[in-house]
Amino acid sequence: MKKKIVILPGDGIGKEVTTEGKRVLETIASLFGHQFEYDEATIGHDAIEATGNPLPDETLAKLKNCDAILFGAVGHPKYDNDPSLKVRPEQGLLKMRKELGLYANLRPIKLFDELLQASAIKPEILKGSDILFFRELTGDVYFGEKGRKDDGNTAYDVMIYQRYEVERIAHKAFQAARTRKNKVTSVDKANVLESSRLWRAVVQEIGKLYPDVELEHQFIDSAAMKLIQNPRSFDVVLTGNLFGDILTDEASQIAGSMGMLASASVGDSVGLYEPIHGSAHDITGKGIANPLASILSAALLLDISFGLKEEAETIIKAVEKALALGFRTADIADAETDRAKILNTQAMGSLIVDQLMVSVKENQ
Ligand code: IPM
Ligand code: MN
């Protein structure tokens, strides 16, 4: 298969982890006989420093003209500490989502058995958890009208949803549920918010087209609680942009660490794949970031954008194997981890590459 992939490292640990994600893609290409061509582009703080624009036109042109994107992260503490700055790295990410029509953000929360102990939640509550989030990504308060009035002393962000925006992501969630445990939990705040009442009504309508899929509705506050109380009761979770942002960070604790979670953003055209962790400036440049989320993002890329299921499965198996052999990065290590098996970013990448080569050879 011949494909063009853009690597978009972004800020902070984004560079370190996408380097390993790319190595894994290169390894898969050579083992399975694919031709992947790579290009690189800038976004976020990096791009602001170079061009003044968090999403330069040149980057957007490259993204619109490729088959898939492997993205790192954006963000920089400089902006977090100064809310008055007008040009911000996150604007690049939001504009990219909008421009590429990436309205569905899939965040699979899958617990690797080997990491049961790494979570702060009791193993007996966690075991067997497997949740797929569908977070709406191009609507809601993120993109509603925002502004200031009364001399800057009043600020607002409008929470807004249109019917078609809810319909299209609801279809995706119900279709995914059919390939899993046939259950969709739609999360909103319909007891208070008008936009949530529209959300709920539309999801109910779409749900009727999928009578074989069980549909339940939960309010965001209660869902946040139940997620920790009984994560196994969820299969597919369908929710809006802001609620999904918050709930998926919470859910990352079910998987042991943010460092393990990959995500896919899909919609009208090209797919974008990224870890759910951010730029993590506290550990940037130290070479200790966990590259597994980027590597698992590469697996999602192969699966969803290219339909290469076997290749994707091979990557997941290699990650499982590395964990089963006792190897960890610092974020997923615990008191029982053999100190000699705590790897840095690059060494973990190399280990996965080795495991890929071994597993493909074994299957020949
Ligand atoms: C995420 C991030 C982004 C979001 C930020 C960086 C704008 O937290 O992808 O979850 O809020 O969507
Ligand atoms: Mn987030």
Side-chain angles (χ1 to χ4, degrees):
M1 184 178 280
K2 221 171 154 170
K3 294 285 181 190
K4 208 153 127 194
I5 302 171
V6 172
I7 310 288
L8 199 57
D11 304 325
I13 60 168
K15 291 186 186 52
E16 298 159 49
V17 299
T18 47
T19 300
E20 304 310 316
K22 183 182 173 195
R23 272 172 78 200
V24 163
L25 286 171
E26 286 169 335
T27 309
I28 287 287
S30 79
L31 290 172
F32 288 84
H34 301 302
Q35 277 174 283
F36 297 157
E37 192 190 302
Y38 305 90
D39 200 350
E40 215 177 287
T42 59
I43 188 169
H45 169 71
D46 227 31
I48 296 174
E49 295 284 285
T51 67
N53 181 350
L55 184 68
D57 291 346
E58 193 193 337
T59 295
L60 197 54
K62 283 183 182 179
L63 301 180
K64 286 188 170 165
N65 186 27
C66 73
D67 300 305
I69 306 160
L70 187 71
F71 171 53
V74 291
H76 193 278
K78 171 177 145 187
Y79 306 86
D80 300 340
N81 300 328
D82 186 354
S84 74
L85 289 172
K86 291 267 174 292
V87 180
R88 312 180 65 84
E90 291 79 6
Q91 290 160 348
L93 177 59
L94 299 184
K95 185 169 173 210
M96 172 170 71
R97 289 173 177 168
K98 198 71 170 176
E99 289 274 338
L100 299 178
L102 302 170
Y103 62 82
N105 184 215
L106 282 66
R107 296 188 164 183
I109 309 288
K110 199 174 155 357
L111 175 71
F112 288 91
D113 274 347
E114 298 289 337
L115 295 181
L116 258 181
Q117 305 298 334
S119 173
I121 306 170
K122 290 195 195 96
E124 62 269 28
I125 290 181
L126 286 184
K127 203 166 169 26
S129 300
D130 182 358
I131 309 172
L132 178 57
F133 277 87
F134 277 80
R135 167 190 175 194
E136 200 287 330
L137 205 57
T138 53
D140 204 346
V141 279
Y142 275 69
F143 293 94
E145 194 191 328
K146 54 184 80 227
R148 297 260 179 143
K149 46 188 190 181
D150 304 335
D151 288 339
N153 292 317
T154 302
Y156 58 92
D157 299 271
V158 175
M159 185 177 262
I160 179 166
Y161 265 117
Q162 291 178 262
R163 164 177 288 275
Y164 82 95
E165 293 175 309
V166 186
E167 281 175 355
R168 61 187 180 179
I169 188 156
H171 277 294
K172 281 202 187 293
F174 281 105
Q175 282 158 12
R178 279 187 168 160
T179 69
R180 297 169 49 95
K181 290 186 224 124
N182 272 297
K183 181 176 174 185
V184 170
T185 303
S186 174
V187 176
D188 60 35
K189 187 73 185 171
N191 50 347
V192 177
L193 304 171
E194 196 55 37
S195 55
S196 279
R197 286 193 274 273
L198 172 69
W199 178 280
R200 190 174 286 217
V202 174
V203 172
Q204 278 167 346
E205 274 173 36
I206 304 295
K208 294 204 177 90
L209 305 174
Y210 301 84
D212 50 319
V213 179
E214 181 193 345
L215 169 62
E216 70 171 14
H217 302 274
Q218 287 185 17
F219 296 132
I220 176 68
D221 48 353
S222 160
M225 175 193 65
K226 288 195 181 133
L227 201 53
I228 296 299
Q229 188 189 47
N230 187 9
R232 273 194 300 269
S233 65
F234 295 91
D235 177 22
V236 170
V237 177
L238 165 64
T239 190
N241 203 345
L242 182 63
F243 298 153
D245 180 44
I246 299 167
L247 273 192
T248 51
D249 265 30
E250 184 192 351
S252 73
Q253 290 313 298
I254 295 168
S257 163
M258 283 262 267
M260 297 297 298
L261 292 184
S263 86
S265 301
V266 297
D268 296 338
S269 55
V270 66
L272 174 121
Y273 302 84
E274 63 175 302
I276 91 156
H277 63 67
S279 49
H281 280 268
D282 50 332
I283 58 164
T284 298
K286 295 190 180 158
I288 57 167
N290 185 348
L292 293 176
S294 183
I295 288 170
L296 291 167
S297 298
L300 275 182
L301 180 158
L302 295 172
D303 181 354
I304 299 176
S305 276
F306 300 169
L308 297 174
K309 301 250 175 257
E310 189 189 343
E311 287 81 340
E313 198 47 45
T314 307
I315 296 175
I316 295 169
K317 288 261 157 60
V319 171
E320 280 168 355
K321 188 74 192 293
L323 296 174
L325 290 171
F327 291 100
R328 301 284 186 273
T329 43
D331 58 311
I332 48 172
D334 59 23
E336 257 113 83
T337 310
D338 176 352
R339 298 293 103 180
K341 290 189 172 173
I342 301 183
L343 305 182
N344 65 25
T345 312
Q346 212 182 353
M348 183 55 96
S350 301
L351 177 67
I352 301 301
V353 165
D354 291 346
Q355 291 304 324
L356 287 173
M357 297 200 285
V358 170
S359 78
V360 169
K361 226 178 250 149
E362 274 170 5
N363 286 334
Q364 268 164 5

